[in-house]
Amino acid sequence: MLDKLQQIGASTLATVQGFGRATLMLLGALWGRPRFVKAWPLYIKQFYVVGVQSLLIILVSGLFIGMVLALQGYTVLSKFGAEQMLGPLVALSLLRELGPVVTALLFAGRAGSALTAEIGLMKATEQLSGMEMMAVDPLRRIIAPRLWAGIVCMPMLAIIFTAVGILGGHLVGVDWLGVDAGGYWSAMQANVDLQQDVYNGVIKSIVFAIVVTVIALHKGYDAVPTSEGISRATTQTVVTASLAVLGFDFVLTAVMFGG
Amino acid sequence: MTTRKLEIFVGAFVVIAIAALMLLALKVANTGVTGSDQSYKLYAKFDNIGGLKPRSPVKVGGVVVGRVASIQLDPTQFQPVVTLEISSNYSNFPETSSLAILTSGLLGEQYIGLQPGFVDENVEILADGDHIEDTKSAIVLEELIGQFLFNRGNQ
Amino acid sequence: MKKQDVATPLVDIRNLTFRRGERVIYDDMSMQFMRGKVTAIMGPSGIGKTTLLRLIGGQLKPDQGHIWFDGQDIPTLPRSALYQARKRMSMLFQSGALFSDMSVFDNVAFPIREHTKLPEQIIRMMVLMKLEAVGLRGARDLMPAELSGGMARRAALARAIALDPQLIMYDEPFAGQDPISMGVIVRLIRSLNDALGLTSIVVSHDVNEVMSIADYVYVVAERRVIGHGTPEQLRQHESPLVQQFLQGLADGPVPFHFKAADYATELMEINS
């Protein structure tokens, strides 16, 4: 019994320690003026790896989710004779919730796990130590570009996801199920608010971007430098980041739309 | 891959993202009235505001001319006071105009319909901060049913 | 170099005590590494030889003691001074630790590009010179994944000497090499040390290779130095542990059998 308590206490302390290390890593990566001119190729490369290479999965998922929303939504709305509300249904679902959250989850799975594995492997092959011994700060050179790439690219991916989803909803709703095209867009415009819905959605995705990227980088940086350690760190990234995104989503939704 | 190629791809990515944002901002959301800058305030008292909410539209003959900015309760007379924000493009409503709380469609949301009044030499134009006197409250379903039953009862 | 500089140690470790958790790794240990010489650190596996290199490089802090590097006490240095000191020392890791996303050329050029503002033509000349010294000038456009283990190590060596450091530390450079690669590395360590006026510290347990090139050897075991001297002096050392290590004897002060109960009793146990 006392053993269990001790275990709980120990793991709580370890979690808090982890938060501390993650914050220190974050501060170390952001501290000091970024030498953008000299480090520009590094940043571009990371923007490509993190952002551009996630584009395919985001486009396809966004399209399919928009189409499914339209299909399911139409089935229910037609019972009330409210098919013209399909536009707002699809748009609001995507803008407020599905866009930021699903993008964050996909991002954590694809780019987040890749970041963790890459950094964990660099740690295991002593590349990070080697860099330190060569008087180059690995936080500035390796972590910082990836951090900024994640924080900037993920909101952009969320916006693309939402836009593609709305177009997908149009594809199914208007072209396939016969909802009036003008009605789709005008009902949407009447019910979607720029500040309330679009901006809040973007704010959400920025928060999620920070959460997912920091978790991914921290797990990689802290990984045990063996192959087992790296695989464990990668799984932990996906699980922890996903749970954190859903948790933050609840808090943000309550604050923004709770009323 | 060379830096130049990477830069092209990343640039394309950013362009797509901006295009998506434009789509969302312009076609999806309504950057309509009071998305623009100039507006002036009018005040009106109602007996019952029904389901009126802040940001509900103010329409003249179906055209949106403004939004409900806020709804408060007058502390002395216990009447709801609605603050309307009207776009400066429509700045010559006479003070004889009337307001009514209407419903769009059968189950739709409620909005304020503005009926412009008559104009002659003695009538002033509404400016920022003025009150509109002539208001009709929202229709409350129970009162309507009560009236209906009362009328039936009289037959 | 002034005459008296040659006589003073470049790295001077005094009264070093280092603990990892409960375990004491080093207990009041002292060693000196003379300028311009190849000094070896040998000992059984697992006693923390790599840890010693990390302590010298400032990646770890000792619990007690001083580590003087060219007049500066490494554990007491603030971060910026430590980075300055690290520019004058390099380390060759066991795996080479080349950056996997850059070519050999870019790997060797990395420290030059990071720490100097030299134009690309000068950098190219320097990189080619360093690669020539290790015999890899023709391999400069290969990626690390395309190199054999021995070649990767040589490339990492070229990178380590890119900025002409004062001190170079080798972490198990001979581990797992075929005889030819071994010969290459042995020759390079000695010739680079002499040609560039370096001070080299070699951590290894390959006795024959080390003894053939080292000017001075420290044998470390049981948390301290158990024997030191020139290779000839060490071969005559009286400590049985040193002799067991140098001759590669299977049994001696370090026993063959891991600690266990009595053999006959364990075999005959019916209820095990």
Side-chain angles (χ1 to χ4, degrees), chain A:
Chain A
M1 174 61 186
L2 270 169
D3 280 345
K4 285 284 182 207
L5 274 177
Q6 189 206 30
Q7 267 178 18
I8 296 177
S11 59
T12 313
L13 270 178
T15 316
V16 175
Q17 251 188 320
F19 274 123
R21 279 201 301 271
T23 313
L24 285 175
M25 181 198 82
L26 188 63
L27 289 175
L30 296 173
W31 180 258
R33 35 178 193 84
R35 292 138 69 209
F36 272 130
V37 176
K38 206 169 183 184
W40 179 251
L42 290 175
Y43 281 79
I44 287 288
K45 173 126 192 273
Q46 288 313 311
F47 273 64
Y48 178 80
V49 168
V50 166
V52 177
Q53 287 190 329
S54 303
L55 201 54
L56 182 63
I57 189 176
I58 293 293
L59 286 175
V60 174
S61 313
L63 186 67
F64 277 119
I65 287 194
M67 299 204 295
V68 165
L69 265 179
L71 266 177
Q72 294 278 28
Y74 186 84
T75 318
V76 176
L77 288 175
S78 57
K79 290 202 179 104
F80 297 92
E83 296 93 345
Q84 74 272 23
M85 294 304 270
L86 189 64
L89 173 73
V90 170
L92 286 176
S93 314
L94 284 167
L95 276 169
R96 290 180 177 182
E97 288 303 321
L98 291 178
V101 174
V102 174
T103 306
L105 294 177
L106 291 172
F107 186 81
R110 196 229 146 256
S113 61
L115 282 175
T116 305
E118 189 191 3
I119 300 199
L121 194 61
M122 289 181 99
K123 188 176 183 194
T125 52
E126 295 182 301
Q127 288 180 40
L128 295 181
S129 282
M131 224 180 261
E132 262 192 44
M133 283 308 298
M134 279 186 264
V136 174
D137 187 2
L139 287 178
R140 290 264 289 277
R141 192 165 210 285
I142 301 285
I143 303 282
R146 289 164 174 78
L147 183 69
W148 286 110
I151 294 180
V152 171
C153 286
M154 212 208 88
M156 295 206 283
L157 289 169
I159 292 174
I160 295 176
F161 183 95
T162 306
V164 170
I166 291 177
L167 292 174
H170 183 275
L171 193 68
V172 166
V174 175
D175 297 334
W176 184 4
L177 293 169
V179 175
D180 175 46
Y184 186 84
W185 293 107
S186 60
M188 207 190 289
Q189 282 181 2
N191 284 290
V192 172
D193 182 65
L194 186 68
Q195 263 114 6
Q196 179 84 337
D197 300 314
V198 177
Y199 285 173
N200 277 342
V202 172
I203 292 174
K204 266 196 190 178
S205 61
I206 294 179
V207 170
F208 295 158
I210 298 175
V211 166
V212 171
T213 313
V214 170
I215 290 178
L217 291 174
H218 167 64
K219 292 283 179 193
Y221 197 67
D222 239 22
V224 176
T226 61
S227 45
E228 197 212 328
I230 295 176
S231 90
R232 197 170 341 126
T234 316
T235 356
Q236 276 182 352
T237 290
V238 179
V239 171
T240 311
S242 306
L243 293 176
V245 162
L246 293 172
F248 272 92
D249 181 48
F250 170 69
V251 171
L252 287 172
T253 307
V255 167
M256 290 175 185
F257 303 106

Side-chain angles (χ1 to χ4, degrees), chain C residues 161-233:
Chain C
I161 56 170
L163 285 176
D164 292 320
Q166 286 178 291
L167 171 70
I168 177 163
M169 298 183 271
Y170 299 87
D171 189 4
E172 306 276 3
F174 314 118
Q177 297 292 291
D178 66 84
I180 299 181
S181 317
M182 194 97 84
V184 167
I185 296 275
V186 168
R187 177 183 129 168
L188 278 175
I189 293 180
R190 187 74 242 182
S191 58
L192 282 177
N193 191 78
D194 297 331
L196 299 175
L198 295 171
T199 305
S200 309
I201 303 179
V202 180
V203 163
S204 178
H205 45 234
D206 286 298
V207 177
N208 295 326
E209 280 68 32
V210 166
M211 298 290 250
S212 66
I213 53 165
D215 295 313
Y216 205 79
V217 179
Y218 283 91
V219 181
V220 178
E222 293 167 359
R223 303 185 295 279
R224 51 188 190 78
V225 177
I226 56 164
H228 61 96
T230 66
E232 294 75 39
Q233 290 171 338

